[in-house]
Amino acid sequence: MESVQKACGAFRWRIYLVDNASKRAMPSKMQCFLTKEGTRACFLKADENRGYASGNNLGIARALEDGCGVIVVANNDIVFKSGAIEAMAVCLLRHPKAGIVGPMVVGRDGSIQQSCCSMRTGMWEIFQIYTVAKKMFPRKRAVYYCQNRNPYKRAYVYHVSGCCFAMSAACAKAVTPLDEGTMLYGEELILGLTMERLGYRTIYEPQSVVMHWHGATAGRLAPLMYQCISQSELYYCGKYLKAARWQLWVLYQYRRCLYLLRCMKSRELARSRSTFLAETKKSYQQARNDRKQKNRT
């Protein structure tokens, strides 16, 4: 939050801090920041944690209500470099057909992270990019993650990382509320489909740079992270891709076996094994139901 002011340049700004029903008390440093900023910082607390999309819906709705022209969605482990938000806002103003702009995302060591995708994620991409089969398709993976492009050149892409992006108010009104069917992960894939359906474009803007303390939150919650990856994947494939029954079964068994193998090396994962198996089974069954409903429609 302290990096926002310099990142906005000449643009007026307001922060919407969303507490997704955490059980921890607010740190004193954060309380001091909110008090100091006064009306420029708004604190919103969700009644329950229904996931990433739900928390963002709360903040986006309030920002639209307050008349914000550009809305920046950012994880709590993002630090904005000077002018980063201004660059995304200017990009949106200069490209009327664009609804979302994503920044260059770098790690704490300065390395450029994968933050955009060049194509729609269909079932082939799920198997070729998101499973161990990715080792057999290095060229496809490079194209998918835009690794064959100059990272310092602005470009139209299919979607950008959910860790940080800016969208115009018009786009936000059209694409929200975000689908709250996922707890964590996969939201970008769904948003990409929604943007395509509504005719909006997405731009990667390297003039905007943010630092991502990748894994600062989810990294401490490995069992939940793996569970959410599996559940979100099944939800996306069942509801949005009309995945065949055998495809859902293969994905479900793949994630299940992979988790069990990881349990052999991690006591932390092993302690959450029964929860993982029970929750992902529910998601698998729901994905099959979503697929049936989609086919009827």
Side-chain angles (χ1 to χ4, degrees):
M1 293 190 294
E2 292 174 340
S3 67
V4 167
Q5 186 170 8
K6 290 183 179 180
C8 287
F11 286 87
R12 290 181 299 170
W13 58 272
R14 192 175 189 192
I15 289 174
Y16 297 87
L17 173 63
V18 180
D19 183 330
N20 221 358
S22 66
K23 297 180 181 180
R24 295 174 59 192
M26 181 184 293
S28 59
K29 186 177 181 180
M30 192 176 293
Q31 291 177 335
C32 290
F33 178 89
L34 294 175
T35 301
K36 181 184 70 173
E37 296 301 335
T39 58
R40 292 200 300 183
C42 177
F43 178 68
L44 304 170
K45 188 173 180 65
D47 295 329
E48 62 176 316
N49 186 353
R50 298 198 304 274
Y52 170 88
S54 177
N56 281 324
N57 281 335
L58 186 62
I60 293 169
R62 182 62 178 273
L64 288 174
E65 183 181 322
D66 290 345
C68 295
V70 174
I71 298 172
V72 178
V73 174
N75 284 6
N76 60 348
D77 55 0
I78 288 292
V79 176
F80 296 96
K81 298 293 186 178
S82 180
I85 295 175
E86 182 179 35
M88 288 190 284
V90 169
C91 185
L92 283 171
L93 292 173
R94 290 179 177 174
H95 298 82
K97 293 184 179 180
I100 288 179
V101 172
M104 175 187 287
V105 182
V106 301
R108 281 174 280 185
D109 61 354
S111 60
I112 300 175
Q113 296 183 356
Q114 294 174 355
S115 63
C116 54
C117 171
S118 67
M119 66 185 74
R120 180 179 184 271
T121 304
M123 285 308 304
W124 272 115
E125 287 68 38
I126 291 292
F127 284 116
Q128 292 176 327
I129 308 298
Y130 289 91
T131 70
V132 71
K134 62 187 177 184
K135 295 181 179 180
M136 300 171 58
F137 302 95
R139 187 174 299 177
K140 175 69 174 286
R141 189 170 185 271
V143 172
Y144 181 86
Y145 284 119
C146 303
Q147 294 173 347
N148 61 328
R149 302 183 183 184
N150 184 345
Y152 297 98
K153 186 176 180 180
R154 182 186 302 115
Y156 282 108
V157 295
Y158 192 81
H159 69 70
V160 292
S161 171
C163 73
C164 181
F165 63 90
M167 58 181 164
S168 66
C171 178
K173 291 176 182 178
V175 303
T176 60
L178 303 174
D179 188 331
E180 298 182 4
T182 59
M183 174 61 72
L184 188 64
Y185 302 112
E187 297 85 2
E188 301 101 325
L189 308 187
I190 297 172
L191 185 55
L193 294 179
T194 304
M195 292 281 288
E196 181 181 41
R197 177 172 56 82
L198 296 175
Y200 281 102
R201 303 292 299 276
T202 299
I203 295 178
Y204 164 72
E205 175 53 270
Q207 295 300 312
S208 172
V209 182
V210 303
M211 184 171 69
H212 187 200
W213 289 51
H214 192 63
T217 300
R220 299 193 299 267
L221 303 168
L224 178 62
M225 179 185 72
Y226 289 126
Q227 178 184 316
C228 288
I229 288 174
S230 180
Q231 290 179 298
S232 296
E233 183 176 67
L234 289 167
Y235 178 79
Y236 174 73
C237 293
K239 184 172 182 179
Y240 288 93
L241 299 185
K242 301 180 182 179
R245 291 179 62 180
W246 70 267
Q247 292 172 326
L248 292 174
W249 183 85
V250 169
L251 285 175
Y252 168 59
Q253 293 297 337
Y254 172 76
R255 294 296 175 195
R256 180 175 177 273
C257 292
L258 193 59
Y259 188 90
L260 293 175
L261 286 173
R262 286 172 173 152
C263 285
M264 298 173 67
K265 296 183 178 181
S266 170
R267 292 183 179 180
E268 182 183 10
L269 294 180
R271 284 194 293 267
S272 300
R273 179 171 49 206
S274 58
T275 299
F276 175 90
L277 295 176
E279 294 302 318
T280 53
K281 183 177 181 179
K282 291 179 184 177
S283 296
Y284 168 62
Q285 294 171 337
Q286 183 60 52
R288 291 184 58 176
N289 293 334
D290 288 340
R291 172 190 173 275
K292 292 177 182 178
Q293 185 63 38
K294 187 77 173 179
N295 286 338
R296 291 195 194 100
T297 304

Short mmCIF file of all heavy atoms in Angstrom, two decimals, residues 241-273:
data_model
loop_
_atom_site.label_atom_id
_atom_site.label_comp_id
_atom_site.label_asym_id
_atom_site.label_seq_id
_atom_site.Cartn_x
_atom_site.Cartn_y
_atom_site.Cartn_z
N LEU A 241 -15.28 -25.74 -20.38
CA LEU A 241 -14.69 -26.40 -21.55
C LEU A 241 -15.48 -27.61 -22.05
O LEU A 241 -15.06 -28.25 -23.02
CB LEU A 241 -13.25 -26.82 -21.25
CG LEU A 241 -12.26 -25.70 -20.90
CD1 LEU A 241 -10.85 -26.27 -20.75
CD2 LEU A 241 -12.28 -24.59 -21.94
N LYS A 242 -16.57 -27.95 -21.39
CA LYS A 242 -17.36 -29.13 -21.77
C LYS A 242 -16.48 -30.38 -21.83
O LYS A 242 -16.58 -31.19 -22.74
CB LYS A 242 -18.01 -28.93 -23.14
CG LYS A 242 -18.94 -27.74 -23.24
CD LYS A 242 -19.55 -27.64 -24.65
CE LYS A 242 -20.45 -26.44 -24.80
NZ LYS A 242 -21.02 -26.33 -26.16
N ALA A 243 -15.59 -30.51 -20.87
CA ALA A 243 -14.65 -31.64 -20.85
C ALA A 243 -15.40 -32.97 -20.85
O ALA A 243 -16.44 -33.12 -20.20
CB ALA A 243 -13.76 -31.56 -19.61
N ALA A 244 -14.88 -33.91 -21.61
CA ALA A 244 -15.47 -35.24 -21.64
C ALA A 244 -15.27 -35.92 -20.28
O ALA A 244 -14.38 -35.57 -19.51
CB ALA A 244 -14.81 -36.07 -22.74
N ARG A 245 -16.10 -36.91 -20.00
CA ARG A 245 -16.03 -37.60 -18.71
C ARG A 245 -14.65 -38.21 -18.49
O ARG A 245 -14.10 -38.15 -17.39
CB ARG A 245 -17.12 -38.68 -18.64
CG ARG A 245 -18.53 -38.13 -18.56
CD ARG A 245 -19.56 -39.23 -18.53
NE ARG A 245 -19.42 -40.07 -17.35
CZ ARG A 245 -20.21 -41.11 -17.07
NH1 ARG A 245 -21.20 -41.44 -17.90
NH2 ARG A 245 -20.03 -41.82 -15.98
N TRP A 246 -14.07 -38.78 -19.56
CA TRP A 246 -12.76 -39.41 -19.40
C TRP A 246 -11.67 -38.37 -19.12
O TRP A 246 -10.72 -38.64 -18.38
CB TRP A 246 -12.40 -40.25 -20.63
CG TRP A 246 -12.09 -39.47 -21.89
CD1 TRP A 246 -12.94 -39.12 -22.88
CD2 TRP A 246 -10.79 -38.93 -22.25
NE1 TRP A 246 -12.29 -38.42 -23.86
CE2 TRP A 246 -10.97 -38.29 -23.50
CE3 TRP A 246 -9.53 -38.94 -21.67
CZ2 TRP A 246 -9.93 -37.65 -24.17
CZ3 TRP A 246 -8.48 -38.30 -22.32
CH2 TRP A 246 -8.68 -37.67 -23.56
N GLN A 247 -11.83 -37.16 -19.70
CA GLN A 247 -10.86 -36.11 -19.47
C GLN A 247 -10.89 -35.64 -18.02
O GLN A 247 -9.85 -35.44 -17.38
CB GLN A 247 -11.13 -34.93 -20.41
CG GLN A 247 -10.84 -35.25 -21.87
CD GLN A 247 -11.28 -34.16 -22.81
OE1 GLN A 247 -12.30 -33.48 -22.57
NE2 GLN A 247 -10.54 -33.96 -23.89
N LEU A 248 -12.10 -35.47 -17.47
CA LEU A 248 -12.24 -35.09 -16.07
C LEU A 248 -11.67 -36.17 -15.16
O LEU A 248 -11.00 -35.88 -14.16
CB LEU A 248 -13.71 -34.83 -15.73
CG LEU A 248 -14.35 -33.61 -16.38
CD1 LEU A 248 -15.85 -33.57 -16.06
CD2 LEU A 248 -13.68 -32.33 -15.91
N TRP A 249 -11.92 -37.42 -15.51
CA TRP A 249 -11.43 -38.54 -14.70
C TRP A 249 -9.90 -38.57 -14.69
O TRP A 249 -9.29 -38.75 -13.63
CB TRP A 249 -11.99 -39.86 -15.23
CG TRP A 249 -11.60 -41.05 -14.40
CD1 TRP A 249 -12.24 -41.52 -13.29
CD2 TRP A 249 -10.48 -41.92 -14.62
NE1 TRP A 249 -11.58 -42.62 -12.79
CE2 TRP A 249 -10.50 -42.90 -13.58
CE3 TRP A 249 -9.48 -41.98 -15.57
CZ2 TRP A 249 -9.55 -43.90 -13.49
CZ3 TRP A 249 -8.52 -42.98 -15.49
CH2 TRP A 249 -8.58 -43.93 -14.45
N VAL A 250 -9.31 -38.38 -15.88
CA VAL A 250 -7.84 -38.39 -15.97
C VAL A 250 -7.23 -37.26 -15.15
O VAL A 250 -6.26 -37.46 -14.40
CB VAL A 250 -7.38 -38.28 -17.44
CG1 VAL A 250 -5.88 -38.02 -17.52
CG2 VAL A 250 -7.71 -39.55 -18.20
N LEU A 251 -7.78 -36.06 -15.23
CA LEU A 251 -7.27 -34.92 -14.47
C LEU A 251 -7.41 -35.15 -12.97
O LEU A 251 -6.50 -34.86 -12.18
CB LEU A 251 -8.01 -33.64 -14.86
CG LEU A 251 -7.65 -33.02 -16.21
CD1 LEU A 251 -8.56 -31.84 -16.50
CD2 LEU A 251 -6.19 -32.58 -16.23
N TYR A 252 -8.55 -35.69 -12.58
CA TYR A 252 -8.81 -35.96 -11.17
C TYR A 252 -7.81 -36.98 -10.62
O TYR A 252 -7.21 -36.78 -9.56
CB TYR A 252 -10.24 -36.47 -11.02
CG TYR A 252 -10.56 -37.07 -9.67
CD1 TYR A 252 -10.42 -36.32 -8.50
CD2 TYR A 252 -11.02 -38.38 -9.57
CE1 TYR A 252 -10.72 -36.88 -7.26
CE2 TYR A 252 -11.33 -38.94 -8.33
CZ TYR A 252 -11.16 -38.18 -7.19
OH TYR A 252 -11.46 -38.74 -5.96
N GLN A 253 -7.61 -38.06 -11.36
CA GLN A 253 -6.68 -39.10 -10.92
C GLN A 253 -5.23 -38.61 -10.96
O GLN A 253 -4.43 -38.97 -10.09
CB GLN A 253 -6.84 -40.34 -11.81
CG GLN A 253 -8.17 -41.05 -11.67
CD GLN A 253 -8.40 -41.60 -10.27
OE1 GLN A 253 -7.46 -41.83 -9.50
NE2 GLN A 253 -9.66 -41.82 -9.91
N TYR A 254 -4.91 -37.78 -11.94
CA TYR A 254 -3.55 -37.23 -12.04
C TYR A 254 -3.22 -36.39 -10.81
O TYR A 254 -2.17 -36.58 -10.18
CB TYR A 254 -3.42 -36.39 -13.30
CG TYR A 254 -2.12 -35.62 -13.39
CD1 TYR A 254 -0.93 -36.27 -13.73
CD2 TYR A 254 -2.08 -34.25 -13.14
CE1 TYR A 254 0.26 -35.57 -13.80
CE2 TYR A 254 -0.89 -33.54 -13.21
CZ TYR A 254 0.28 -34.20 -13.54
OH TYR A 254 1.46 -33.52 -13.59
N ARG A 255 -4.10 -35.45 -10.45
CA ARG A 255 -3.86 -34.59 -9.28
C ARG A 255 -3.86 -35.41 -7.99
O ARG A 255 -3.08 -35.15 -7.07
CB ARG A 255 -4.93 -33.50 -9.20
CG ARG A 255 -4.89 -32.49 -10.33
CD ARG A 255 -3.62 -31.69 -10.34
NE ARG A 255 -3.55 -30.82 -11.51
CZ ARG A 255 -2.44 -30.22 -11.92
NH1 ARG A 255 -1.30 -30.42 -11.28
NH2 ARG A 255 -2.46 -29.44 -12.98
N ARG A 256 -4.72 -36.41 -7.94
CA ARG A 256 -4.81 -37.26 -6.76
C ARG A 256 -3.51 -38.03 -6.55
O ARG A 256 -2.93 -38.05 -5.46
CB ARG A 256 -5.99 -38.21 -6.91
CG ARG A 256 -6.23 -39.17 -5.76
CD ARG A 256 -7.51 -39.96 -6.03
NE ARG A 256 -7.74 -40.95 -4.98
CZ ARG A 256 -7.25 -42.18 -4.99
NH1 ARG A 256 -6.49 -42.57 -6.01
NH2 ARG A 256 -7.51 -43.02 -4.01
N CYS A 257 -3.02 -38.66 -7.62
CA CYS A 257 -1.78 -39.45 -7.52
C CYS A 257 -0.57 -38.55 -7.25
O CYS A 257 0.33 -38.93 -6.49
CB CYS A 257 -1.57 -40.24 -8.82
SG CYS A 257 -2.78 -41.55 -9.08
N LEU A 258 -0.56 -37.38 -7.87
CA LEU A 258 0.55 -36.46 -7.67
C LEU A 258 0.62 -36.02 -6.21
O LEU A 258 1.71 -35.94 -5.62
CB LEU A 258 0.38 -35.24 -8.57
CG LEU A 258 1.59 -34.31 -8.72
CD1 LEU A 258 2.78 -35.05 -9.28
CD2 LEU A 258 1.22 -33.13 -9.63
N TYR A 259 -0.52 -35.76 -5.62
CA TYR A 259 -0.54 -35.35 -4.21
C TYR A 259 -0.05 -36.48 -3.31
O TYR A 259 0.73 -36.26 -2.38
CB TYR A 259 -1.96 -34.94 -3.80
CG TYR A 259 -2.03 -34.31 -2.42
CD1 TYR A 259 -1.90 -32.93 -2.27
CD2 TYR A 259 -2.23 -35.08 -1.29
CE1 TYR A 259 -1.95 -32.34 -1.01
CE2 TYR A 259 -2.28 -34.50 -0.02
CZ TYR A 259 -2.14 -33.13 0.10
OH TYR A 259 -2.19 -32.56 1.35
N LEU A 260 -0.50 -37.70 -3.59
CA LEU A 260 -0.09 -38.84 -2.78
C LEU A 260 1.42 -39.08 -2.88
O LEU A 260 2.07 -39.45 -1.90
CB LEU A 260 -0.85 -40.10 -3.22
CG LEU A 260 -2.35 -40.08 -2.93
CD1 LEU A 260 -3.03 -41.32 -3.50
CD2 LEU A 260 -2.61 -39.99 -1.42
N LEU A 261 1.99 -38.85 -4.06
CA LEU A 261 3.44 -38.98 -4.23
C LEU A 261 4.17 -37.91 -3.41
O LEU A 261 5.20 -38.18 -2.79
CB LEU A 261 3.81 -38.85 -5.70
CG LEU A 261 3.48 -40.05 -6.60
CD1 LEU A 261 3.75 -39.73 -8.05
CD2 LEU A 261 4.29 -41.28 -6.16
N ARG A 262 3.63 -36.71 -3.40
CA ARG A 262 4.24 -35.62 -2.63
C ARG A 262 4.14 -35.89 -1.13
O ARG A 262 4.99 -35.44 -0.36
CB ARG A 262 3.56 -34.29 -2.98
CG ARG A 262 3.96 -33.76 -4.35
CD ARG A 262 3.14 -32.57 -4.75
NE ARG A 262 3.65 -31.96 -5.98
CZ ARG A 262 2.89 -31.28 -6.83
NH1 ARG A 262 1.59 -31.14 -6.61
NH2 ARG A 262 3.43 -30.75 -7.93
N CYS A 263 3.10 -36.61 -0.73
CA CYS A 263 2.94 -36.94 0.69
C CYS A 263 4.09 -37.80 1.19
O CYS A 263 4.41 -37.78 2.40
CB CYS A 263 1.62 -37.68 0.91
SG CYS A 263 0.16 -36.62 0.86
N MET A 264 4.73 -38.55 0.30
CA MET A 264 5.84 -39.41 0.70
C MET A 264 7.06 -38.59 1.12
O MET A 264 7.92 -39.08 1.84
CB MET A 264 6.19 -40.34 -0.47
CG MET A 264 5.05 -41.28 -0.86
SD MET A 264 5.40 -42.24 -2.36
CE MET A 264 6.74 -43.28 -1.77
N LYS A 265 7.11 -37.32 0.68
CA LYS A 265 8.25 -36.47 1.00
C LYS A 265 7.89 -35.35 1.98
O LYS A 265 8.78 -34.67 2.48
CB LYS A 265 8.82 -35.85 -0.27
CG LYS A 265 9.39 -36.85 -1.25
CD LYS A 265 9.99 -36.14 -2.46
CE LYS A 265 10.62 -37.12 -3.44
NZ LYS A 265 11.22 -36.44 -4.61
N SER A 266 6.60 -35.16 2.22
CA SER A 266 6.18 -34.04 3.06
C SER A 266 5.17 -34.49 4.12
O SER A 266 4.07 -34.94 3.78
CB SER A 266 5.56 -32.94 2.20
OG SER A 266 4.96 -31.95 2.99
N ARG A 267 5.54 -34.36 5.38
CA ARG A 267 4.61 -34.69 6.46
C ARG A 267 3.45 -33.71 6.50
O ARG A 267 2.32 -34.07 6.86
CB ARG A 267 5.35 -34.67 7.79
CG ARG A 267 6.39 -35.79 7.96
CD ARG A 267 7.02 -35.73 9.33
NE ARG A 267 8.00 -36.80 9.52
CZ ARG A 267 8.70 -36.98 10.63
NH1 ARG A 267 8.53 -36.11 11.65
NH2 ARG A 267 9.57 -37.96 10.72
N GLU A 268 3.73 -32.46 6.14
CA GLU A 268 2.68 -31.44 6.13
C GLU A 268 1.58 -31.82 5.16
O GLU A 268 0.39 -31.72 5.48
CB GLU A 268 3.27 -30.08 5.75
CG GLU A 268 2.26 -28.95 5.77
CD GLU A 268 2.86 -27.63 5.31
OE1 GLU A 268 4.00 -27.64 4.80
OE2 GLU A 268 2.19 -26.60 5.46
N LEU A 269 1.96 -32.27 3.97
CA LEU A 269 0.97 -32.70 2.99
C LEU A 269 0.26 -33.97 3.45
O LEU A 269 -0.94 -34.12 3.26
CB LEU A 269 1.63 -32.92 1.63
CG LEU A 269 2.19 -31.68 0.93
CD1 LEU A 269 2.81 -32.08 -0.40
CD2 LEU A 269 1.12 -30.63 0.72
N ALA A 270 1.01 -34.87 4.05
CA ALA A 270 0.43 -36.14 4.51
C ALA A 270 -0.64 -35.91 5.57
O ALA A 270 -1.66 -36.62 5.59
CB ALA A 270 1.53 -37.04 5.05
N ARG A 271 -0.44 -34.93 6.43
CA ARG A 271 -1.43 -34.65 7.47
C ARG A 271 -2.75 -34.15 6.89
O ARG A 271 -3.80 -34.31 7.53
CB ARG A 271 -0.86 -33.60 8.45
CG ARG A 271 0.17 -34.15 9.42
CD ARG A 271 0.42 -33.18 10.55
NE ARG A 271 1.08 -31.96 10.08
CZ ARG A 271 2.39 -31.78 10.07
NH1 ARG A 271 3.20 -32.75 10.50
NH2 ARG A 271 2.92 -30.65 9.63
N SER A 272 -2.71 -33.58 5.71
CA SER A 272 -3.93 -33.04 5.08
C SER A 272 -4.44 -33.95 3.96
O SER A 272 -5.31 -33.56 3.19
CB SER A 272 -3.65 -31.65 4.52
OG SER A 272 -3.26 -30.76 5.53
N ARG A 273 -3.91 -35.17 3.90
CA ARG A 273 -4.26 -36.09 2.81
C ARG A 273 -5.75 -36.39 2.75
O ARG A 273 -6.37 -36.31 1.68
CB ARG A 273 -3.48 -37.39 2.97
CG ARG A 273 -3.78 -38.44 1.89
CD ARG A 273 -2.81 -39.59 2.01
NE ARG A 273 -2.73 -40.06 3.40
CZ ARG A 273 -1.68 -40.68 3.92
NH1 ARG A 273 -0.60 -40.90 3.18
NH2 ARG A 273 -1.67 -41.09 5.18
#
